[in-house]
Amino acid sequence: MCIFLCLLTLLLAGCGEPPAAPRELNLYIWSEYLDPQIPANFAAKTGIKVNVSVYESSEEMLAKLQHAGGSSQYDLAVVSNMLVPTLVQLKLIQALDHSRIPNRHNLDALFLDPAYDPGNHHSLAYQWGTVGLLYNKTKFPDLEPSWGVLFDPGKQQGSFVLIDEMRDQLGAALIFLGHSANSTDPEQLRQAGQLVLGAKKSAKSRGFEGGVGGKNKVAAGLADMAVVWNGDALKAIEENAKGELAYLVPREGSLIWADVMVVPAQAPSPGAAHQFIDYLLDAQAGAQLSRFTRYASPNKAARQLLPKEDLENPVLYPSPEILSRLEYQREVGEHVRLYDEVWTEIKSR
Ligand code: N2P
């Protein structure tokens, strides 16, 4: 009997192997960008616990990966697609093992083999969206749909928050001036910098906020408008019981961006990271993700499970008219130094 019980115990314990170490996955991601139920479901399915750390700007994320040990601390990061070439060049992320991510086929063709990451060697799409203005439409029912409400002192109407995201805020100014948001012309960038500095110094300015900060200020009534991303705007619009808030893409145009999943170079558990990437690319999980983030899904299988109201909501999925005014945000290679200089100058004055 004893022998039988002992054998059974050994068998159940995995033939006497020491119990497996608790499996964990450290994720680094923008704030308010993951339904907490998703990691809970993933843990129930796989036994892997997801520890979520958040950031509010690409600048903060890059500094963490580059100088603060982030590339050996995190297993998975969700970052702007435009930063992928830089992260590869700086050897901060590793190649993905596609054989462990069969659900990658759920992605829309648009996000497969993209220019920022040929062959998707290092990244797979997470969500995509636009840059625009969240504003109080009760106070400003006829708000001019123009970046001029920030950049033209004659057109400023209410108090505003600028976005603490270098490429997005300078991109908006470049577009207002009629230039490309990916300009590498030093003179155009200087002009854009002057505009942003002027906006910062305006009596109507409520300063810079990273990530969800601007939408939180508008939602709390601490500012009349803010430069934000559409999903965060939609969350604020839907949470505002009085229906006072709206989102617009200025008539001069704006930026369209995508965020992607990457595995940091020295990730402690790259296997778990691949498992979670594959889980997030599942149709059900992908639909759940976009229902929570209020951003558009790059996952065509997931989109089939999303409510019609979401797919037809132009804040979430820009209409062809809006799309025609949007410019894809691209990386600018070594010219990013120009952006950094102009941005540092604005922030320090
Ligand atoms: C969600 C932030 C979206 C990231 N709070 C924009 N790239």
Side-chain angles (χ1 to χ4, degrees):
M1 182 65 175
C2 172
I3 289 174
F4 173 72
L5 275 183
C6 294
L7 275 177
L8 188 69
T9 317
L10 273 178
L11 201 67
L12 290 175
C15 300
E17 277 175 16
R23 297 175 69 206
E24 295 199 359
L25 162 71
N26 295 323
L27 167 68
Y28 196 34
I29 185 169
W30 295 96
S31 66
E32 300 185 23
Y33 214 20
L34 179 68
D35 180 349
Q37 195 55 48
I38 293 179
N41 295 347
F42 177 71
K45 188 174 162 192
T46 63
I48 301 172
K49 178 172 176 270
V50 182
N51 305 314
V52 183
S53 307
V54 299
Y55 64 86
E56 295 292 353
S57 73
S58 296
E59 195 180 0
E60 182 187 347
M61 181 278 298
L62 262 180
K64 183 82 191 207
L65 287 195
Q66 210 176 347
H67 306 296
S71 106
S72 58
Q73 176 181 354
Y74 301 117
D75 299 298
L76 182 62
V78 172
V79 304
S80 165
N81 66 342
M82 139 195 107
L83 294 173
V84 171
T86 309
L87 294 171
V88 172
Q89 203 197 348
L90 294 171
K91 300 196 169 40
L92 290 171
I93 55 176
Q94 56 180 278
L96 298 176
D97 178 353
H98 285 183
S99 71
R100 291 196 271 179
I101 316 174
N103 281 334
R104 71 186 187 285
H105 294 300
N106 284 337
L107 285 172
D108 217 304
L110 197 65
F111 297 93
L112 294 173
D113 198 21
Y116 56 84
D117 183 22
N120 289 99
H121 284 308
H122 291 84
S123 70
L124 287 160
Y126 184 76
Q127 304 278 271
W128 63 271
T130 59
V131 181
L133 283 175
L134 171 69
Y135 69 102
N136 186 315
K137 66 174 178 195
T138 313
K139 268 176 112 171
F140 300 100
D142 301 314
L143 186 74
E144 188 176 345
S146 165
W147 288 118
V149 299
L150 310 175
F151 300 133
D152 180 345
K155 288 189 173 159
Q156 289 167 348
Q157 300 193 31
S159 56
F160 57 78
V161 178
L162 299 165
I163 196 162
D164 199 353
E165 187 70 29
M166 176 177 82
R167 289 292 310 277
D168 298 37
Q169 188 58 71
L170 285 174
L174 283 163
I175 288 176
F176 178 65
L177 289 167
H179 305 313
S180 160
N182 299 302
S183 172
T184 53
D185 177 315
E187 189 45 39
Q188 294 181 357
L189 269 160
R190 257 189 294 279
Q191 289 168 8
Q194 283 308 311
L195 272 190
V196 178
L197 183 60
K200 173 188 173 180
K201 296 281 181 194
S202 154
K204 298 243 188 305
S205 167
R206 297 293 171 270
F208 287 89
E209 289 285 346
V212 292
K215 77 108 172 147
N216 286 342
K217 275 201 169 156
V218 175
L222 298 171
D224 298 323
M225 60 195 83
V227 182
V228 295
W229 298 304
N230 59 325
D232 296 335
L234 188 53
K235 239 188 234 168
I237 292 169
E238 292 174 343
E239 283 165 11
N240 183 283
K242 293 192 219 140
E244 292 166 325
L245 306 181
Y247 176 77
L248 67 80
V249 172
R251 65 162 177 259
E252 297 90 359
S254 190
L255 283 160
I256 185 166
W257 51 263
D259 284 327
V260 295
M261 302 177 272
V262 294
V263 178
Q266 277 97 40
S269 306
H274 280 74
Q275 259 179 284
F276 195 47
I277 293 177
D278 195 54
Y279 183 78
L280 288 164
L281 290 174
D282 165 74
Q284 291 282 351
Q288 185 177 357
L289 179 64
S290 283
R291 274 200 306 271
F292 175 90
T293 63
R294 312 312 283 133
Y295 282 98
S297 178
N299 182 323
K300 62 177 184 316
R303 277 207 305 275
Q304 284 170 6
L305 304 175
L306 284 169
K308 198 163 163 273
E309 311 85 80
D310 281 2
L311 298 172
E312 288 174 357
N313 185 337
V315 174
L316 253 165
Y317 293 89
S319 64
E321 186 278 316
I322 296 176
L323 270 177
S324 70
R325 285 185 276 133
L326 297 173
E327 182 178 3
Y328 277 92
Q329 197 166 42
R330 290 195 314 269
E331 67 119 19
V332 288
E334 64 192 28
H335 300 285
V336 76
R337 257 183 264 139
L338 272 175
Y339 280 81
D340 283 333
E341 270 168 35
V342 169
W343 191 242
T344 309
E345 171 82 9
I346 297 168
K347 297 306 273 306
S348 64
R349 289 186 45 192

